[in-house]
Amino acid sequence: MVGPLAAKPRAWRKIGGQVPGEAAFAKSNAVSPDSFFTENGQTMKTNQSWGGRFAEGPKEAVAQYTDSQSYDRALYAQDIRASQAHARMLGRQGVISQSEARILVNGLDRVREEIEAGGFVWKPELEDVHMNIEARLTEIMGNVGKKLHTGRSRNDQVGLSFRLFVADRLETWRQRAVALCAVLLQRATEHTADILPGYTHMQPAQPVSLAHHLLAYAWMFRRDARRLGDCLARVRTSPLGAAALAGTTYPLDPQSVAEDVGFSGVYSNSMDAVSDRDFVLEALFCGSTIMMHLSRLCEEIILWANPGFGFVRLPDSYSTGSSIMPQKKNPDVAELMRGKTGRVYGSLMSMLTIMKGLPLAYNRDMQEDKEGFLDADRTVEASLRLMAGMLEELTFRTDRMREACKAGFLNATELADYLVGKGIPFREAHHITGQAVAMAEKAGKGLEDLTLGELQLLEPRIDDTVFAILEYAAAVSRRETPGGTGPRSVETQLEQMHEWLGQILGKD
């Protein structure tokens, strides 16, 4: 909340002394106390939208502290869109004349054009984006502009504008998540025949196909896209008509406003309508889940880029070097994305904390809903976009992946399953396989390198067919259960993802 601040607030003058950082702050934000509230050269004692009750305006520091137009101006397009829908409804309902409604709608178009052309003058004394737009509308259109606010409060006005903004941003996130799924699907399609170690507890576990591994992330982001769609259905509920908290005496038609802005429904309870911020919480949860999934993928990219793994080669355009070590190629984009996950989590926790103790109905605390979401929006959208770009250019070192399968006895489960096929109970087969692993480890070789004689010392029923079973590619191809890493199962996953993307992209 940055806005003009007097060179030295009065409270600080009284106690004297130097306020830390005051000089630098005053230099960049200095506005004379005498000129803080001005309009057309005249001193304003109060904000004219609510000032009739007040003999004087807030102190300069208070005005700066409560200012929101410095950031909520991001909602200008949604506020204008909602106001135009409200004006059209007032005209249809006969609350104002049809000609007045047209004047308001046209005037709001002119305000939007000014903002987008960069000629709009934002006035901190008007507190927020909503009053700035209404004040400019009145300057352009005269007293008709003062009729725009008929039948509504800033409480339901803000609620609708912010819901529109959140809905627009969630739709962008959804499109980004879908695009990332498409990239993962493409890369998976390229690597159906390549294998690498799968891990549990970050220890080599079983071989899997690279396509299967990449598709695991595709399913995560598919869930994210669908979760965003579910969230959008609840965000798109209009609170306009609830007014301050109790509704209004004007003969409004809230449903027509909702339909005008592309929403499906309206509030059921006016007090809930103006005090609800569940839609922000849900959006931030969706963003946090997206970032968690991205962070997991980043962690693997970071590990795989380490020469100890060497599974991927980072694109130069998504890496940085070292100021002192010329050989370094650092996965900075993946690291920053992993780190920025905490920013989005922080916005979610902040919003939960803001809402946890609020009585009905609207409270000014809710002004704090926007900065966190705006920051989360920038982070989530950019992260999804950058991850898609990085994956498109990432080089997979499939030779290193295949070689890594030989370390860690990834075919041990195959031997145990083979013994079960010989009629040996699984627990006994598990024990025999453990002995075989110990034997191979002591000899410094893999299970597939043990001789038939060595294996038969542990279990006479083992024959030479075991060696085909111990091949890593065979271990992958045998797992054809639904959702498994076998070729037919992976092909089914690819088809399912293709079909879903086709449906989504066809709608978009």
Side-chain angles (χ1 to χ4, degrees), residues 145-215:
K146 296 178 181 179
K147 294 189 175 185
L148 176 62
H149 207 55
T150 307
R152 71 177 182 182
S153 161
R154 268 198 296 182
N155 294 352
D156 58 345
Q157 178 185 6
V158 170
L160 178 55
S161 298
F162 196 28
R163 281 176 179 270
L164 282 168
F165 183 84
V166 171
D168 288 346
R169 301 315 300 153
L170 292 188
E171 181 57 36
T172 298
W173 295 4
R174 189 186 70 87
Q175 292 172 4
R176 293 293 185 195
V178 169
L180 180 53
C181 285
V183 172
L184 285 162
L185 175 61
Q186 178 57 42
R187 299 313 308 265
T189 302
E190 297 166 5
H191 293 285
T192 55
D194 296 309
I195 63 173
L196 77 160
Y199 297 85
T200 61
H201 309 279
M202 266 311 294
Q203 301 298 313
Q206 293 177 295
V208 296
S209 78
L210 178 54
H212 189 61
H213 195 114
L214 294 172
L215 283 168

Side-chain angles (χ1 to χ4, degrees), residues 293-444:
H293 289 152
L294 286 169
S295 186
R296 294 182 69 182
L297 181 50
C298 286
E299 177 70 7
E300 295 212 305
I301 290 172
I302 292 164
L303 288 172
W304 288 2
N306 185 294
F309 282 83
F311 289 179
V312 299
R313 185 179 295 113
L314 293 169
D316 289 350
S317 53
Y318 290 86
S319 310
T320 64
S322 166
S323 63
I324 191 172
M325 296 169 285
Q327 83 282 8
K328 294 291 294 296
K329 189 174 186 181
N330 298 325
D332 280 18
V333 172
E335 289 176 343
L336 277 170
M337 198 176 295
R338 185 176 59 181
K340 285 177 182 291
T341 299
R343 294 176 69 110
V344 182
Y345 287 6
S347 294
L348 173 59
M349 292 308 300
S350 175
M351 195 66 219
L352 285 166
T353 305
I354 289 164
M355 296 302 297
K356 74 175 182 64
L358 297 186
L360 290 173
Y362 180 82
N363 297 271
R364 190 66 179 269
D365 312 49
M366 294 180 192
Q367 178 175 302
E368 291 297 301
D369 58 1
K370 296 172 190 66
E371 283 187 287
F373 182 80
L374 289 168
D375 185 76
D377 172 44
R378 288 188 292 268
T379 302
V380 172
E381 192 275 333
S383 298
L384 286 167
R385 175 166 39 85
L386 287 171
M387 178 56 79
M390 183 161 55
L391 285 176
E392 283 182 323
E393 297 185 34
L394 199 67
T395 300
F396 292 102
R397 296 286 307 280
T398 55
D399 55 333
R400 292 292 298 270
M401 292 178 178
R402 186 174 291 273
E403 186 66 24
C405 289
K406 296 180 180 179
F409 307 102
L410 271 68
N411 49 6
T413 304
E414 308 312 305
L415 178 57
D417 290 343
Y418 170 84
L419 294 172
V420 169
K422 293 290 186 180
I424 300 170
F426 179 78
R427 288 301 176 196
E428 186 178 341
H430 188 285
H431 182 74
I432 294 168
T433 301
Q435 292 178 314
V437 168
M439 178 188 291
E441 189 173 41
K442 186 176 182 179

